[in-house]
């Protein structure tokens, strides 16, 4: 059993498709182990995406991620990290496979509907960034 972090980004939350995206996870044997809706501060977003600090899109990414509310979730299940990435589709929705979340709900590489941890190691770091022990019980 694995856990991974998922974020429904401001574009998807604003489009009123939170439930539709959560249904993709639940329909594919991923359980919502923890969940909350919140608005990231600039500091939060900068810390969360610190690995991308030197990338040319970093500033825009922080601006976008703080532009509205997000839904942060811990998904749990067999191969949760890889399964979530598969359900999400490619970073650029134009390259995302048909039927993936990004193909169906995202507009652009900036506003691409969802985040998902890219490894088990990063999943643990990202889960701890957002959730306390009590929330994960
Ligand atoms: P993923 O979210 O698929 O793991 P990355 O970790 O590479 O993708 O990038 C983090 C986020 O930064 C992406 O989801 C996207 O919102 C943004 N991003 C990545 N590459 C670009 C780019 N070339 N131009 C604009 N935004 C980008
Ligand atoms: Mg990533």
């Amino acid at each position: 059993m694995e856990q991974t972090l998922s974020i429904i980004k401001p574009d998807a939350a604003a489009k009123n498709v939170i439930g539709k995206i959560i249904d993709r996870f639940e329909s594919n044997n991923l359980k919502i182990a923890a969940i909350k809706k919140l608005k990231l501060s600039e500091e939060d977003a900068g810390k969360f995406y610190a690995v991308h600090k030197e990338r040319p899109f970093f500033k825009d990414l922080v601006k976008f991620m703080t532009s509205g509310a997000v839904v942060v979730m811990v998904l749990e299940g067999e191969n949760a990290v890889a399964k979530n990435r598969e359900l999400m589709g490619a970073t650029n929705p134009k390259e995302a496979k048909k039927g993936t979340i990004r193909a169906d709900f995202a507009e652009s590489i900036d506003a691409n509907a969802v985040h998902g941890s890219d490894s088990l190691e990063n999943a643990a770091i990202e889960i701890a960034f957002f959730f306390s022990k009590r929330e994960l019980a």
Side-chain angles (χ1 to χ4, degrees):
M1 219 48 122
E2 285 181 9
Q3 288 192 332
T4 189
L5 187 89
S6 166
I7 303 178
I8 300 179
K9 294 186 178 183
D11 57 322
K15 264 164 62 180
N16 214 17
V17 292
I18 292 170
K20 283 189 173 131
I21 291 175
I22 289 176
D23 181 54
R24 300 287 173 102
F25 302 135
E26 293 187 332
S27 298
N28 286 279
N29 286 324
L30 291 175
K31 284 203 154 147
I32 312 297
I35 184 165
K36 56 188 167 191
K37 189 173 180 194
L38 53 92
K39 194 160 180 239
L40 294 173
S41 67
E42 232 170 84
E43 194 189 344
D44 292 331
K47 272 190 196 155
F48 183 77
Y49 279 118
V51 287
H52 295 307
K53 210 158 61 192
E54 306 305 329
R55 310 282 285 273
F57 57 81
F58 179 73
K59 251 185 117 180
D60 287 341
L61 177 60
V62 169
K63 201 171 164 197
F64 168 65
M65 289 301 289
T66 57
S67 67
V70 298
V71 176
V72 190
M73 286 169 283
V74 176
L75 304 178
E76 189 174 274
E78 225 171 278
N79 294 314
V81 173
K83 193 181 272 183
N84 179 39
R85 296 291 308 192
E86 201 183 306
L87 294 171
M88 287 164 62
T91 307
N92 185 348
K94 288 177 181 72
E95 288 159 15
K97 273 193 206 145
K98 228 180 133 198
T100 61
I101 294 168
R102 281 168 167 166
D104 291 344
F105 301 113
E107 304 307 327
S108 66
I109 195 164
D110 309 83
N112 62 0
V114 279
H115 165 84
S117 309
D118 61 6
S119 67
L120 204 49
E121 192 191 356
N122 284 334
I125 295 168
E126 292 179 0
I127 289 167
F129 183 82
F130 281 110
F131 292 97
S132 67
K133 257 197 181 145
R134 177 197 283 147
E135 291 170 302
L136 290 161

